[in-house]
Amino acid sequence: QSFHGAGPVFSHTVLALAPEIGQQRREIAALAGLAPYDFDSGTFKGRRIIWGGRHAVRRVVYMAALTASRSNPVLKAFHQRLIAKGKEPKVALVAVARKILTILSAMIQNNEPWNPNRS
């Protein structure tokens, strides 16, 4: 809970429903249903969607991303940078959610509290 934007509901949900966090850094986004998948077919090309994974984890991480993109200085800057590049607001928010999972996975793996200078 040292991560700014993560409360007790978030930390308990992620630890209970995503026990792989801290072990599989590359696959944690897919397990939470936050990895972008392509559905290119015919004239429908270029857009990616998120689906699958654990719905309860995705909901909680999305809400944490919403909070963190407003209050956490590191993730707020990341979110604003994506918006400035032309990303849609929801796409940028999902990227923040994936970044939160990556940061938390590294924190658990290294057994360290939140350090905004390491992001």
Side-chain angles (χ1 to χ4, degrees):
Q1 290 181 15
S2 65
F3 182 77
H4 192 66
V9 172
F10 172 78
S11 60
H12 291 200
T13 303
V14 170
L15 289 175
L17 299 178
E20 302 87 2
I21 194 162
Q23 299 172 0
Q24 302 172 1
R25 180 179 65 86
R26 297 185 186 271
E27 298 171 0
I28 193 67
L31 290 172
L34 292 169
Y37 293 103
D38 60 339
F39 285 100
D40 295 344
S41 175
T43 58
F44 186 74
K45 293 184 181 177
R47 299 220 30 182
R48 305 295 182 245
I49 63 169
I50 59 171
W51 65 277
R54 298 175 184 143
H55 182 67
V57 176
R58 183 172 55 245
R59 282 190 322 208
V60 171
V61 174
Y62 184 83
M63 291 307 293
L66 191 60
T67 302
S69 67
R70 294 178 181 168
S71 61
N72 188 319
V74 174
L75 294 176
K76 183 177 185 176
F78 177 68
H79 183 258
Q80 290 173 347
R81 192 169 54 245
L82 290 175
I83 297 291
K85 283 184 179 180
K87 299 290 182 188
E88 294 180 18
K90 250 188 191 171
V91 172
L93 203 56
V94 169
V96 170
R98 282 194 309 269
K99 190 167 180 88
I100 286 174
L101 284 177
T102 304
I103 290 170
L104 290 178
S105 184
M107 286 171 54
I108 290 173
Q109 187 175 21
N110 298 330
N111 198 19
E112 296 176 347
W114 165 248
N115 183 0
N117 298 327
R118 290 194 73 208
S119 297

